[in-house]
Amino acid sequence: MMAALAATELPVIEAEIASLGPWFHNLHLPGGIQTAPAHPLGDFPAFKWQEIAPHVPHDLDGWKVLDIGCNAGFYTFELARRGADVTAIDVDPHYLAQARWAAGRLGLQHRVRFRQMQIYDLVREPGEYDLVWFMGVLYHLRHPLLALDIVRRRTRRLMVMQTMTMPGDQVAMVPEDLGLDERARMQDPGWPVMAFIEKRLRRDPTNWWAPNHACVEAMLRSSGFGVLGRIAHETYLCEPRAGDADELGMVDEELRAATGTGEEEHP
Ligand SMILES: C[S@@+](CC[C@H](N)C(=O)[O-])C[C@H]1O[C@@H](n2cnc3c(N)ncnc32)[C@H](O)[C@@H]1O
């Protein structure tokens, strides 16, 4: 339990919140203080967590968790409160400064560590995590399948992924092999497709892709994840699955070449 705030502390904390802003996560801090109480999406991401939380093991004691694109650490802190040891990464030092400050305010600094890095840097990080938290990042990546292939190699037990999607829940039956002259079928409703956003979406130049639901599931399967369920809007609970050996071998080779992590030097 954290001690109640002294009256003189409140303005100091509010000034710190203002100086660390703008905030994307509305964190609830001791003393009823919030970091973004007027968030345009509402109490974000607390309302999303309410939906997802029942599907995540309640006791994460002894679990190693990786939060990719942690932002100000809302999910990192919730998972740490369940007992997990959380490593949280983000590319943006602005958000990491918020997360580090908030960890101190919440008294969770001994359970969490924040690192500034790209998701692709995980290819050079040894080890696996019992739970990988991968929310709100995939569509910001120019190379989403590369990222999923890397995330798969860091996942031991569970992975929770959320991505912005294209509208539409249909899933078409995709044949094992499609003839060259059958390509019109790719325009059928429910065929796995991903829209490329060359310009901007919601004024954000880092929104690159919007897959449909069928495509999200297909990409997850193709990267070696089994989808256990859609636990909230655009949110998937997954577990690692062994795929076809040849297919995985092919992916390994491409992954090595794309990331420069090959063991052999080619002349
Ligand atoms: C839309 S926010 C999602 C934040 C949080 N995961 C959530 O679901 O509320 C995307 C976050 O991913 C981070 N990010 C974007 N590209 C990244 C990359 N290539 N590697 C690591 N983090 C990235 C951003 O800085 C930002 O904090």
Side-chain angles (χ1 to χ4, degrees):
M1 271 300 264
M2 299 204 80
L5 285 183
T8 49
E9 273 187 281
L10 192 61
V12 175
I13 295 168
E14 280 176 345
E16 286 173 344
I17 289 172
S19 74
L20 285 163
W23 294 75
F24 178 60
H25 278 173
N26 184 35
L27 303 177
H28 292 244
L29 302 175
I33 300 172
Q34 298 181 34
T35 54
H39 199 294
L41 298 175
D43 190 2
F44 180 87
F47 72 84
K48 254 185 192 305
W49 170 247
Q50 295 309 321
E51 277 182 89
I52 302 166
H55 303 277
V56 178
H58 194 74
D59 183 2
L60 293 175
D61 200 23
W63 283 50
K64 266 179 70 186
V65 170
L66 174 66
D67 183 0
I68 301 171
C70 60
N71 202 268
F74 179 94
Y75 295 113
T76 294
F77 301 136
E78 291 299 339
L79 298 165
R81 282 193 188 105
R82 291 188 173 197
D85 174 51
V86 189
T87 298
I89 70 163
D90 204 290
V91 276
D92 194 328
H94 167 82
Y95 291 129
L96 289 168
Q98 295 179 345
R100 289 191 179 109
W101 175 84
R105 296 295 334 158
L106 293 164
L108 287 169
Q109 62 274 37
H110 56 290
R111 288 204 167 275
V112 301
R113 81 196 52 78
F114 295 100
R115 297 177 60 191
Q116 186 182 347
M117 59 193 273
Q118 277 278 349
I119 187 169
Y120 308 108
D121 290 327
L122 290 168
V123 80
R124 277 172 288 278
E125 293 280 312
E128 289 181 325
Y129 294 84
D130 299 295
L131 169 64
V132 177
W133 203 259
F134 187 28
M135 300 271 297
V137 180
L138 190 82
Y139 56 96
H140 286 299
L141 305 174
R142 287 183 63 84
H143 310 291
L145 269 181
L146 176 63
L148 276 175
D149 287 340
I150 292 170
V151 169
R152 168 65 183 83
R153 282 153 183 77
R154 295 290 159 264
T155 307
R156 196 197 331 258
R157 290 203 235 186
L158 291 173
M159 195 269 289
V160 173
M161 193 200 76
Q162 185 272 340
T163 180
M164 175 179 70
T165 55
M166 279 170 74
D169 276 352
Q170 262 180 289
V171 179
M173 287 295 291
V174 172
E176 283 301 314
D177 189 12
L178 187 74
L180 203 55
D181 54 357
E182 292 179 296
R183 280 173 287 166
R185 287 187 61 182
M186 293 179 181
Q187 292 172 316
D188 287 351
W191 190 274
V193 291
M194 186 152 73
F196 177 59
I197 304 153
E198 184 190 358
K199 305 272 167 100
R200 289 172 186 222
L201 193 145
R202 212 164 171 255
R203 295 185 299 282
D204 184 343
T206 75
N207 286 326
W208 294 111
W209 296 101
N212 64 9
H213 164 63
C215 184
V216 175
E217 290 201 330
M219 288 198 298
L220 287 166
R221 281 194 302 273
S222 172
S223 298
F225 285 108
V227 178
L228 296 170
R230 196 155 33 144
I231 55 177
H233 179 55
E234 305 180 324
T235 309
Y236 300 79
L237 177 67
C238 309
E239 67 180 4
R241 295 239 169 106
D244 177 85
D246 288 345
E247 214 171 277
L248 283 182
M250 201 167 71
V251 171
D252 274 339
E253 218 164 90
E254 195 165 323
L255 190 62
R256 275 199 294 271
T259 57
T261 49
E263 283 135 87
E264 296 161 48
E265 287 289 320
H266 292 285

